[in-house]
Amino acid sequence: MEKDSSEKKLSKLKNVIIQELCDEHLAKQTIKESAPDFLKPYAHINPFSPDAEQQIEEILSILHPKAAKKHPDWIQKLIDKGLVDEDGRTVIAKSLESVASEIMKNNIQVTNVMLKRFVNGKTNKPYSMQSINLAIELANSK
């Protein structure tokens, strides 16, 4: 029991020291100097800051635009299934109902606001509110 509590204390102490070093910018200069070239653009980011992931994504999108995340995960799943085109908007499935059903399969509550973003692949026009509401109704009935 004592060993567990001492390990927890050491772990907390290590995290506090790392946090203080990052906050005080003491470690940043040595990190920038010793980091490999591909990590230097990210060396200024405090890994403990709440927006660290967002900062990394912003830099990544600038340096490697093709690797940047283009769509939310729920839309990317639709693209991967072949229901929505690569642009994340054009429905290439038979109907908007199949898109709504697939979204529901991923345990996401489908709303008309979500489906408003999609356009009909045949006409390249937005779906009407009647079509959107009908697609939600049919998907819920399955």
mmCIF file of all heavy atoms in Angstrom, residues 13-62:
data_model
loop_
_atom_site.group_PDB
_atom_site.id
_atom_site.type_symbol
_atom_site.label_atom_id
_atom_site.label_comp_id
_atom_site.label_asym_id
_atom_site.label_seq_id
_atom_site.Cartn_x
_atom_site.Cartn_y
_atom_site.Cartn_z
ATOM 1 N N LEU A 13 4.530 14.539 -8.519
ATOM 2 C CA LEU A 13 5.656 15.461 -8.443
ATOM 3 C C LEU A 13 6.285 15.651 -9.817
ATOM 4 O O LEU A 13 6.595 16.779 -10.221
ATOM 5 C CB LEU A 13 6.698 14.947 -7.437
ATOM 6 C CG LEU A 13 7.944 15.803 -7.266
ATOM 7 C CD1 LEU A 13 7.578 17.176 -6.726
ATOM 8 C CD2 LEU A 13 8.947 15.112 -6.360
ATOM 9 N N LYS A 14 6.457 14.554 -10.547
ATOM 10 C CA LYS A 14 7.027 14.630 -11.896
ATOM 11 C C LYS A 14 6.150 15.496 -12.792
ATOM 12 O O LYS A 14 6.649 16.362 -13.515
ATOM 13 C CB LYS A 14 7.159 13.223 -12.481
ATOM 14 C CG LYS A 14 7.769 13.195 -13.869
ATOM 15 C CD LYS A 14 7.866 11.798 -14.408
ATOM 16 C CE LYS A 14 6.562 11.462 -15.061
ATOM 17 N NZ LYS A 14 6.552 10.239 -15.840
ATOM 18 N N ASN A 15 4.846 15.293 -12.724
ATOM 19 C CA ASN A 15 3.929 16.090 -13.553
ATOM 20 C C ASN A 15 3.977 17.565 -13.180
ATOM 21 O O ASN A 15 3.923 18.430 -14.048
ATOM 22 C CB ASN A 15 2.505 15.557 -13.433
ATOM 23 C CG ASN A 15 2.326 14.243 -14.147
ATOM 24 O OD1 ASN A 15 3.074 13.927 -15.073
ATOM 25 N ND2 ASN A 15 1.355 13.466 -13.721
ATOM 26 N N VAL A 16 4.079 17.862 -11.895
ATOM 27 C CA VAL A 16 4.166 19.256 -11.448
ATOM 28 C C VAL A 16 5.452 19.896 -11.952
ATOM 29 O O VAL A 16 5.450 21.036 -12.433
ATOM 30 C CB VAL A 16 4.070 19.349 -9.902
ATOM 31 C CG1 VAL A 16 4.449 20.729 -9.405
ATOM 32 C CG2 VAL A 16 2.681 18.974 -9.445
ATOM 33 N N ILE A 17 6.553 19.175 -11.871
ATOM 34 C CA ILE A 17 7.842 19.704 -12.343
ATOM 35 C C ILE A 17 7.792 19.968 -13.845
ATOM 36 O O ILE A 17 8.207 21.034 -14.316
ATOM 37 C CB ILE A 17 8.994 18.743 -11.983
ATOM 38 C CG1 ILE A 17 9.215 18.739 -10.467
ATOM 39 C CG2 ILE A 17 10.277 19.135 -12.717
ATOM 40 C CD1 ILE A 17 10.185 17.680 -9.986
ATOM 41 N N ILE A 18 7.267 19.021 -14.593
ATOM 42 C CA ILE A 18 7.169 19.195 -16.047
ATOM 43 C C ILE A 18 6.272 20.380 -16.368
ATOM 44 O O ILE A 18 6.590 21.201 -17.230
ATOM 45 C CB ILE A 18 6.644 17.901 -16.710
ATOM 46 C CG1 ILE A 18 7.701 16.800 -16.623
ATOM 47 C CG2 ILE A 18 6.266 18.150 -18.162
ATOM 48 C CD1 ILE A 18 7.210 15.439 -17.059
ATOM 49 N N GLN A 19 5.147 20.472 -15.655
ATOM 50 C CA GLN A 19 4.216 21.585 -15.874
ATOM 51 C C GLN A 19 4.905 22.920 -15.603
ATOM 52 O O GLN A 19 4.779 23.866 -16.377
ATOM 53 C CB GLN A 19 2.987 21.428 -14.972
ATOM 54 C CG GLN A 19 1.971 22.535 -15.100
ATOM 55 C CD GLN A 19 1.268 22.524 -16.429
ATOM 56 O OE1 GLN A 19 0.922 21.470 -16.923
ATOM 57 N NE2 GLN A 19 1.067 23.683 -17.007
ATOM 58 N N GLU A 20 5.627 23.016 -14.501
ATOM 59 C CA GLU A 20 6.314 24.257 -14.141
ATOM 60 C C GLU A 20 7.389 24.613 -15.164
ATOM 61 O O GLU A 20 7.547 25.772 -15.534
ATOM 62 C CB GLU A 20 6.928 24.156 -12.739
ATOM 63 C CG GLU A 20 5.915 24.175 -11.626
ATOM 64 C CD GLU A 20 5.079 25.449 -11.603
ATOM 65 O OE1 GLU A 20 5.654 26.549 -11.767
ATOM 66 O OE2 GLU A 20 3.859 25.339 -11.455
ATOM 67 N N LEU A 21 8.109 23.617 -15.630
ATOM 68 C CA LEU A 21 9.134 23.877 -16.645
ATOM 69 C C LEU A 21 8.511 24.425 -17.919
ATOM 70 O O LEU A 21 9.021 25.353 -18.529
ATOM 71 C CB LEU A 21 9.931 22.607 -16.950
ATOM 72 C CG LEU A 21 10.925 22.159 -15.892
ATOM 73 C CD1 LEU A 21 11.491 20.796 -16.269
ATOM 74 C CD2 LEU A 21 12.041 23.166 -15.738
ATOM 75 N N CYS A 22 7.400 23.829 -18.314
ATOM 76 C CA CYS A 22 6.732 24.294 -19.529
ATOM 77 C C CYS A 22 6.134 25.676 -19.324
ATOM 78 O O CYS A 22 6.196 26.522 -20.211
ATOM 79 C CB CYS A 22 5.651 23.307 -19.944
ATOM 80 S SG CYS A 22 6.306 21.768 -20.588
ATOM 81 N N ASP A 23 5.529 25.920 -18.152
ATOM 82 C CA ASP A 23 4.931 27.227 -17.885
ATOM 83 C C ASP A 23 5.978 28.325 -17.815
ATOM 84 O O ASP A 23 5.740 29.445 -18.232
ATOM 85 C CB ASP A 23 4.142 27.200 -16.574
ATOM 86 C CG ASP A 23 2.830 26.444 -16.722
ATOM 87 O OD1 ASP A 23 2.420 26.196 -17.876
ATOM 88 O OD2 ASP A 23 2.236 26.100 -15.685
ATOM 89 N N GLU A 24 7.112 28.012 -17.269
ATOM 90 C CA GLU A 24 8.163 29.021 -17.099
ATOM 91 C C GLU A 24 9.060 29.149 -18.331
ATOM 92 O O GLU A 24 10.019 29.896 -18.326
ATOM 93 C CB GLU A 24 9.028 28.667 -15.876
ATOM 94 C CG GLU A 24 8.282 28.696 -14.565
ATOM 95 C CD GLU A 24 7.749 30.074 -14.234
ATOM 96 O OE1 GLU A 24 8.447 31.066 -14.494
ATOM 97 O OE2 GLU A 24 6.621 30.152 -13.720
ATOM 98 N N HIS A 25 8.768 28.393 -19.362
ATOM 99 C CA HIS A 25 9.537 28.430 -20.616
ATOM 100 C C HIS A 25 10.999 28.018 -20.416
ATOM 101 O O HIS A 25 11.847 28.355 -21.231
ATOM 102 C CB HIS A 25 9.483 29.818 -21.264
ATOM 103 C CG HIS A 25 8.095 30.314 -21.477
ATOM 104 N ND1 HIS A 25 7.218 29.719 -22.345
ATOM 105 C CD2 HIS A 25 7.422 31.348 -20.909
ATOM 106 C CE1 HIS A 25 6.074 30.364 -22.316
ATOM 107 N NE2 HIS A 25 6.157 31.355 -21.446
ATOM 108 N N LEU A 26 11.292 27.316 -19.322
ATOM 109 C CA LEU A 26 12.669 26.900 -19.078
ATOM 110 C C LEU A 26 13.060 25.745 -19.987
ATOM 111 O O LEU A 26 14.201 25.654 -20.426
ATOM 112 C CB LEU A 26 12.848 26.498 -17.600
ATOM 113 C CG LEU A 26 12.588 27.603 -16.591
ATOM 114 C CD1 LEU A 26 12.671 27.042 -15.179
ATOM 115 C CD2 LEU A 26 13.591 28.730 -16.762
ATOM 116 N N ALA A 27 12.113 24.873 -20.244
ATOM 117 C CA ALA A 27 12.435 23.695 -21.049
ATOM 118 C C ALA A 27 12.319 23.978 -22.538
ATOM 119 O O ALA A 27 12.894 23.262 -23.351
ATOM 120 C CB ALA A 27 11.514 22.546 -20.683
ATOM 121 N N LYS A 28 11.618 25.029 -22.896
ATOM 122 C CA LYS A 28 11.343 25.270 -24.310
ATOM 123 C C LYS A 28 12.597 25.538 -25.128
ATOM 124 O O LYS A 28 12.700 25.096 -26.264
ATOM 125 C CB LYS A 28 10.351 26.416 -24.474
ATOM 126 C CG LYS A 28 8.966 26.044 -24.023
ATOM 127 C CD LYS A 28 8.001 27.146 -24.285
ATOM 128 C CE LYS A 28 6.630 26.725 -23.801
ATOM 129 N NZ LYS A 28 5.660 27.755 -24.020
ATOM 130 N N GLN A 29 13.550 26.253 -24.584
ATOM 131 C CA GLN A 29 14.754 26.560 -25.348
ATOM 132 C C GLN A 29 15.561 25.301 -25.615
ATOM 133 O O GLN A 29 16.039 25.093 -26.727
ATOM 134 C CB GLN A 29 15.604 27.590 -24.607
ATOM 135 C CG GLN A 29 14.932 28.943 -24.577
ATOM 136 C CD GLN A 29 15.697 29.949 -23.743
ATOM 137 O OE1 GLN A 29 16.502 29.574 -22.896
ATOM 138 N NE2 GLN A 29 15.438 31.209 -23.987
ATOM 139 N N THR A 30 15.708 24.444 -24.624
ATOM 140 C CA THR A 30 16.472 23.216 -24.850
ATOM 141 C C THR A 30 15.725 22.259 -25.765
ATOM 142 O O THR A 30 16.329 21.548 -26.540
ATOM 143 C CB THR A 30 16.796 22.508 -23.513
ATOM 144 O OG1 THR A 30 15.577 22.234 -22.839
ATOM 145 C CG2 THR A 30 17.685 23.358 -22.645
ATOM 146 N N ILE A 31 14.395 22.278 -25.679
ATOM 147 C CA ILE A 31 13.609 21.422 -26.567
ATOM 148 C C ILE A 31 13.795 21.870 -28.010
ATOM 149 O O ILE A 31 14.016 21.054 -28.902
ATOM 150 C CB ILE A 31 12.117 21.446 -26.184
ATOM 151 C CG1 ILE A 31 11.921 20.706 -24.866
ATOM 152 C CG2 ILE A 31 11.256 20.836 -27.269
ATOM 153 C CD1 ILE A 31 10.533 20.820 -24.294
ATOM 154 N N LYS A 32 13.712 23.175 -28.262
ATOM 155 C CA LYS A 32 13.873 23.676 -29.628
ATOM 156 C C LYS A 32 15.249 23.349 -30.191
ATOM 157 O O LYS A 32 15.386 23.013 -31.357
ATOM 158 C CB LYS A 32 13.647 25.191 -29.678
ATOM 159 C CG LYS A 32 12.225 25.567 -29.873
ATOM 160 C CD LYS A 32 12.101 27.042 -30.176
ATOM 161 C CE LYS A 32 10.679 27.357 -30.530
ATOM 162 N NZ LYS A 32 10.478 28.740 -30.845
ATOM 163 N N GLU A 33 16.262 23.449 -29.370
ATOM 164 C CA GLU A 33 17.627 23.193 -29.833
ATOM 165 C C GLU A 33 17.877 21.715 -30.091
ATOM 166 O O GLU A 33 18.564 21.354 -31.045
ATOM 167 C CB GLU A 33 18.634 23.715 -28.800
ATOM 168 C CG GLU A 33 18.630 25.223 -28.672
ATOM 169 C CD GLU A 33 19.400 25.706 -27.454
ATOM 170 O OE1 GLU A 33 20.017 24.888 -26.754
ATOM 171 O OE2 GLU A 33 19.361 26.926 -27.195
ATOM 172 N N SER A 34 17.330 20.848 -29.259
ATOM 173 C CA SER A 34 17.639 19.429 -29.377
ATOM 174 C C SER A 34 16.606 18.635 -30.175
ATOM 175 O O SER A 34 16.826 17.466 -30.463
ATOM 176 C CB SER A 34 17.777 18.806 -27.981
ATOM 177 O OG SER A 34 16.547 18.896 -27.292
ATOM 178 N N ALA A 35 15.483 19.252 -30.532
ATOM 179 C CA ALA A 35 14.438 18.532 -31.258
ATOM 180 C C ALA A 35 14.858 18.267 -32.699
ATOM 181 O O ALA A 35 15.544 19.078 -33.315
ATOM 182 C CB ALA A 35 13.148 19.344 -31.246
ATOM 183 N N PRO A 36 14.433 17.122 -33.254
ATOM 184 C CA PRO A 36 14.686 16.876 -34.678
ATOM 185 C C PRO A 36 13.935 17.900 -35.533
ATOM 186 O O PRO A 36 12.972 18.521 -35.070
ATOM 187 C CB PRO A 36 14.138 15.468 -34.915
ATOM 188 C CG PRO A 36 13.573 14.991 -33.637
ATOM 189 C CD PRO A 36 13.751 16.029 -32.605
ATOM 190 N N ASP A 37 14.367 18.074 -36.753
ATOM 191 C CA ASP A 37 13.804 19.102 -37.625
ATOM 192 C C ASP A 37 12.283 18.991 -37.781
ATOM 193 O O ASP A 37 11.585 19.999 -37.795
ATOM 194 C CB ASP A 37 14.451 19.052 -39.009
ATOM 195 C CG ASP A 37 15.881 19.548 -38.972
ATOM 196 O OD1 ASP A 37 16.225 20.277 -38.022
ATOM 197 O OD2 ASP A 37 16.650 19.210 -39.887
ATOM 198 N N PHE A 38 11.766 17.767 -37.894
ATOM 199 C CA PHE A 38 10.336 17.625 -38.132
ATOM 200 C C PHE A 38 9.497 17.992 -36.904
ATOM 201 O O PHE A 38 8.307 18.241 -37.013
ATOM 202 C CB PHE A 38 9.988 16.205 -38.603
ATOM 203 C CG PHE A 38 10.172 15.128 -37.572
ATOM 204 C CD1 PHE A 38 9.128 14.744 -36.749
ATOM 205 C CD2 PHE A 38 11.400 14.482 -37.440
ATOM 206 C CE1 PHE A 38 9.293 13.746 -35.811
ATOM 207 C CE2 PHE A 38 11.561 13.482 -36.503
ATOM 208 C CZ PHE A 38 10.513 13.112 -35.683
ATOM 209 N N LEU A 39 10.103 18.095 -35.717
ATOM 210 C CA LEU A 39 9.372 18.472 -34.507
ATOM 211 C C LEU A 39 9.529 19.942 -34.131
ATOM 212 O O LEU A 39 8.786 20.447 -33.304
ATOM 213 C CB LEU A 39 9.826 17.615 -33.320
ATOM 214 C CG LEU A 39 9.390 16.162 -33.324
ATOM 215 C CD1 LEU A 39 9.921 15.451 -32.098
ATOM 216 C CD2 LEU A 39 7.884 16.045 -33.375
ATOM 217 N N LYS A 40 10.459 20.624 -34.735
ATOM 218 C CA LYS A 40 10.719 22.017 -34.351
ATOM 219 C C LYS A 40 9.509 22.951 -34.509
ATOM 220 O O LYS A 40 9.314 23.824 -33.681
ATOM 221 C CB LYS A 40 11.932 22.550 -35.099
ATOM 222 C CG LYS A 40 13.219 21.965 -34.547
ATOM 223 C CD LYS A 40 14.444 22.560 -35.142
ATOM 224 C CE LYS A 40 15.644 21.884 -34.493
ATOM 225 N NZ LYS A 40 16.896 22.350 -34.996
ATOM 226 N N PRO A 41 8.659 22.784 -35.521
ATOM 227 C CA PRO A 41 7.493 23.674 -35.597
ATOM 228 C C PRO A 41 6.526 23.515 -34.416
ATOM 229 O O PRO A 41 5.731 24.399 -34.138
ATOM 230 C CB PRO A 41 6.804 23.268 -36.900
ATOM 231 C CG PRO A 41 7.841 22.578 -37.691
ATOM 232 C CD PRO A 41 8.786 21.957 -36.716
ATOM 233 N N TYR A 42 6.600 22.390 -33.727
ATOM 234 C CA TYR A 42 5.684 22.115 -32.624
ATOM 235 C C TYR A 42 6.326 22.351 -31.260
ATOM 236 O O TYR A 42 5.664 22.219 -30.235
ATOM 237 C CB TYR A 42 5.207 20.660 -32.686
ATOM 238 C CG TYR A 42 4.648 20.275 -34.025
ATOM 239 C CD1 TYR A 42 5.416 19.588 -34.955
ATOM 240 C CD2 TYR A 42 3.349 20.612 -34.370
ATOM 241 C CE1 TYR A 42 4.902 19.229 -36.195
ATOM 242 C CE2 TYR A 42 2.820 20.267 -35.596
ATOM 243 C CZ TYR A 42 3.607 19.583 -36.509
ATOM 244 O OH TYR A 42 3.092 19.253 -37.728
ATOM 245 N N ALA A 43 7.599 22.698 -31.210
ATOM 246 C CA ALA A 43 8.339 22.788 -29.946
ATOM 247 C C ALA A 43 7.818 23.891 -29.028
ATOM 248 O O ALA A 43 7.977 23.796 -27.819
ATOM 249 C CB ALA A 43 9.823 22.990 -30.225
ATOM 250 N N HIS A 44 7.191 24.911 -29.571
ATOM 251 C CA HIS A 44 6.701 26.009 -28.727
ATOM 252 C C HIS A 44 5.389 25.688 -28.019
ATOM 253 O O HIS A 44 4.954 26.417 -27.140
ATOM 254 C CB HIS A 44 6.511 27.275 -29.572
ATOM 255 C CG HIS A 44 5.349 27.173 -30.516
ATOM 256 N ND1 HIS A 44 5.420 26.458 -31.680
ATOM 257 C CD2 HIS A 44 4.086 27.665 -30.437
ATOM 258 C CE1 HIS A 44 4.250 26.529 -32.297
ATOM 259 N NE2 HIS A 44 3.430 27.257 -31.563
ATOM 260 N N ILE A 45 4.746 24.575 -28.360
ATOM 261 C CA ILE A 45 3.442 24.228 -27.805
ATOM 262 C C ILE A 45 3.610 23.580 -26.442
ATOM 263 O O ILE A 45 4.384 22.642 -26.273
ATOM 264 C CB ILE A 45 2.684 23.272 -28.753
ATOM 265 C CG1 ILE A 45 2.443 23.960 -30.093
ATOM 266 C CG2 ILE A 45 1.385 22.805 -28.124
ATOM 267 C CD1 ILE A 45 1.875 23.054 -31.153
ATOM 268 N N ASN A 46 2.875 24.074 -25.480
ATOM 269 C CA ASN A 46 2.852 23.476 -24.147
ATOM 270 C C ASN A 46 1.932 22.262 -24.210
ATOM 271 O O ASN A 46 0.736 22.401 -24.452
ATOM 272 C CB ASN A 46 2.334 24.483 -23.124
ATOM 273 C CG ASN A 46 2.250 23.920 -21.724
ATOM 274 O OD1 ASN A 46 2.462 22.741 -21.497
ATOM 275 N ND2 ASN A 46 1.946 24.780 -20.778
ATOM 276 N N PRO A 47 2.463 21.053 -24.009
ATOM 277 C CA PRO A 47 1.621 19.862 -24.137
ATOM 278 C C PRO A 47 0.516 19.773 -23.092
ATOM 279 O O PRO A 47 -0.413 19.008 -23.249
ATOM 280 C CB PRO A 47 2.613 18.708 -23.990
ATOM 281 C CG PRO A 47 3.785 19.280 -23.311
ATOM 282 C CD PRO A 47 3.838 20.728 -23.661
ATOM 283 N N PHE A 48 0.615 20.569 -22.043
ATOM 284 C CA PHE A 48 -0.392 20.538 -20.992
ATOM 285 C C PHE A 48 -1.458 21.610 -21.169
ATOM 286 O O PHE A 48 -2.397 21.670 -20.386
ATOM 287 C CB PHE A 48 0.270 20.689 -19.613
ATOM 288 C CG PHE A 48 1.209 19.570 -19.297
ATOM 289 C CD1 PHE A 48 2.577 19.733 -19.435
ATOM 290 C CD2 PHE A 48 0.736 18.345 -18.884
ATOM 291 C CE1 PHE A 48 3.441 18.696 -19.153
ATOM 292 C CE2 PHE A 48 1.588 17.302 -18.595
ATOM 293 C CZ PHE A 48 2.947 17.474 -18.735
ATOM 294 N N SER A 49 -1.319 22.454 -22.146
ATOM 295 C CA SER A 49 -2.330 23.495 -22.341
ATOM 296 C C SER A 49 -3.611 22.862 -22.882
ATOM 297 O O SER A 49 -3.569 21.864 -23.602
ATOM 298 C CB SER A 49 -1.827 24.581 -23.292
ATOM 299 O OG SER A 49 -1.703 24.076 -24.592
ATOM 300 N N PRO A 50 -4.754 23.424 -22.546
ATOM 301 C CA PRO A 50 -6.016 22.819 -22.975
ATOM 302 C C PRO A 50 -6.214 22.834 -24.492
ATOM 303 O O PRO A 50 -6.926 22.001 -25.025
ATOM 304 C CB PRO A 50 -7.086 23.664 -22.288
ATOM 305 C CG PRO A 50 -6.393 24.807 -21.651
ATOM 306 C CD PRO A 50 -4.933 24.572 -21.689
ATOM 307 N N ASP A 51 -5.551 23.754 -25.178
ATOM 308 C CA ASP A 51 -5.713 23.830 -26.637
ATOM 309 C C ASP A 51 -4.496 23.294 -27.385
ATOM 310 O O ASP A 51 -4.302 23.616 -28.558
ATOM 311 C CB ASP A 51 -6.014 25.258 -27.062
ATOM 312 C CG ASP A 51 -4.861 26.212 -26.792
ATOM 313 O OD1 ASP A 51 -4.034 25.910 -25.918
ATOM 314 O OD2 ASP A 51 -4.798 27.254 -27.459
ATOM 315 N N ALA A 52 -3.700 22.446 -26.752
ATOM 316 C CA ALA A 52 -2.494 21.916 -27.391
ATOM 317 C C ALA A 52 -2.834 21.132 -28.659
ATOM 318 O O ALA A 52 -2.180 21.294 -29.698
ATOM 319 C CB ALA A 52 -1.715 21.032 -26.421
ATOM 320 N N GLU A 53 -3.876 20.311 -28.585
ATOM 321 C CA GLU A 53 -4.255 19.510 -29.748
ATOM 322 C C GLU A 53 -4.691 20.397 -30.904
ATOM 323 O O GLU A 53 -4.343 20.151 -32.059
ATOM 324 C CB GLU A 53 -5.376 18.553 -29.357
ATOM 325 C CG GLU A 53 -5.640 17.488 -30.385
ATOM 326 C CD GLU A 53 -6.609 16.441 -29.873
ATOM 327 O OE1 GLU A 53 -6.473 15.996 -28.721
ATOM 328 O OE2 GLU A 53 -7.504 16.082 -30.651
ATOM 329 N N GLN A 54 -5.417 21.448 -30.606
ATOM 330 C CA GLN A 54 -5.865 22.382 -31.643
ATOM 331 C C GLN A 54 -4.673 23.097 -32.273
ATOM 332 O O GLN A 54 -4.627 23.276 -33.497
ATOM 333 C CB GLN A 54 -6.835 23.390 -31.042
ATOM 334 C CG GLN A 54 -7.373 24.376 -32.050
ATOM 335 C CD GLN A 54 -8.297 25.392 -31.393
ATOM 336 O OE1 GLN A 54 -8.599 25.312 -30.210
ATOM 337 N NE2 GLN A 54 -8.733 26.361 -32.179
ATOM 338 N N GLN A 55 -3.696 23.503 -31.470
ATOM 339 C CA GLN A 55 -2.506 24.162 -31.999
ATOM 340 C C GLN A 55 -1.735 23.220 -32.919
ATOM 341 O O GLN A 55 -1.260 23.639 -33.981
ATOM 342 C CB GLN A 55 -1.598 24.611 -30.853
ATOM 343 C CG GLN A 55 -2.145 25.739 -30.020
ATOM 344 C CD GLN A 55 -1.204 26.104 -28.887
ATOM 345 O OE1 GLN A 55 0.002 26.080 -29.055
ATOM 346 N NE2 GLN A 55 -1.760 26.432 -27.736
ATOM 347 N N ILE A 56 -1.625 21.966 -32.527
ATOM 348 C CA ILE A 56 -0.921 20.980 -33.349
ATOM 349 C C ILE A 56 -1.645 20.797 -34.679
ATOM 350 O O ILE A 56 -1.019 20.762 -35.740
ATOM 351 C CB ILE A 56 -0.783 19.642 -32.595
ATOM 352 C CG1 ILE A 56 0.193 19.811 -31.429
ATOM 353 C CG2 ILE A 56 -0.313 18.532 -33.526
ATOM 354 C CD1 ILE A 56 0.235 18.653 -30.460
ATOM 355 N N GLU A 57 -2.983 20.699 -34.641
ATOM 356 C CA GLU A 57 -3.760 20.538 -35.873
ATOM 357 C C GLU A 57 -3.609 21.741 -36.795
ATOM 358 O O GLU A 57 -3.527 21.588 -38.015
ATOM 359 C CB GLU A 57 -5.226 20.293 -35.549
ATOM 360 C CG GLU A 57 -5.499 18.890 -35.077
ATOM 361 C CD GLU A 57 -6.973 18.632 -34.826
ATOM 362 O OE1 GLU A 57 -7.823 19.385 -35.353
ATOM 363 O OE2 GLU A 57 -7.270 17.682 -34.101
ATOM 364 N N GLU A 58 -3.566 22.952 -36.232
ATOM 365 C CA GLU A 58 -3.396 24.154 -37.046
ATOM 366 C C GLU A 58 -2.046 24.144 -37.758
ATOM 367 O O GLU A 58 -1.968 24.435 -38.954
ATOM 368 C CB GLU A 58 -3.517 25.404 -36.183
ATOM 369 C CG GLU A 58 -4.923 25.715 -35.754
ATOM 370 C CD GLU A 58 -5.002 26.900 -34.796
ATOM 371 O OE1 GLU A 58 -4.003 27.641 -34.661
ATOM 372 O OE2 GLU A 58 -6.069 27.078 -34.193
ATOM 373 N N ILE A 59 -0.994 23.820 -37.026
ATOM 374 C CA ILE A 59 0.339 23.776 -37.634
ATOM 375 C C ILE A 59 0.410 22.661 -38.670
ATOM 376 O O ILE A 59 0.964 22.841 -39.754
ATOM 377 C CB ILE A 59 1.422 23.610 -36.547
ATOM 378 C CG1 ILE A 59 1.466 24.862 -35.666
ATOM 379 C CG2 ILE A 59 2.790 23.335 -37.164
ATOM 380 C CD1 ILE A 59 2.326 24.734 -34.436
ATOM 381 N N LEU A 60 -0.181 21.518 -38.346
ATOM 382 C CA LEU A 60 -0.188 20.393 -39.278
ATOM 383 C C LEU A 60 -0.911 20.749 -40.568
ATOM 384 O O LEU A 60 -0.451 20.410 -41.656
ATOM 385 C CB LEU A 60 -0.835 19.174 -38.617
ATOM 386 C CG LEU A 60 -0.868 17.898 -39.434
ATOM 387 C CD1 LEU A 60 0.546 17.377 -39.654
ATOM 388 C CD2 LEU A 60 -1.706 16.848 -38.756
ATOM 389 N N SER A 61 -2.028 21.471 -40.450
ATOM 390 C CA SER A 61 -2.781 21.846 -41.652
ATOM 391 C C SER A 61 -2.015 22.830 -42.524
ATOM 392 O O SER A 61 -2.201 22.864 -43.736
ATOM 393 C CB SER A 61 -4.148 22.418 -41.277
ATOM 394 O OG SER A 61 -4.003 23.650 -40.626
ATOM 395 N N ILE A 62 -1.152 23.625 -41.912
ATOM 396 C CA ILE A 62 -0.339 24.567 -42.683
ATOM 397 C C ILE A 62 0.832 23.835 -43.355
ATOM 398 O O ILE A 62 1.085 24.021 -44.544
ATOM 399 C CB ILE A 62 0.187 25.705 -41.781
ATOM 400 C CG1 ILE A 62 -0.986 26.565 -41.305
ATOM 401 C CG2 ILE A 62 1.225 26.550 -42.504
ATOM 402 C CD1 ILE A 62 -0.641 27.531 -40.195
#
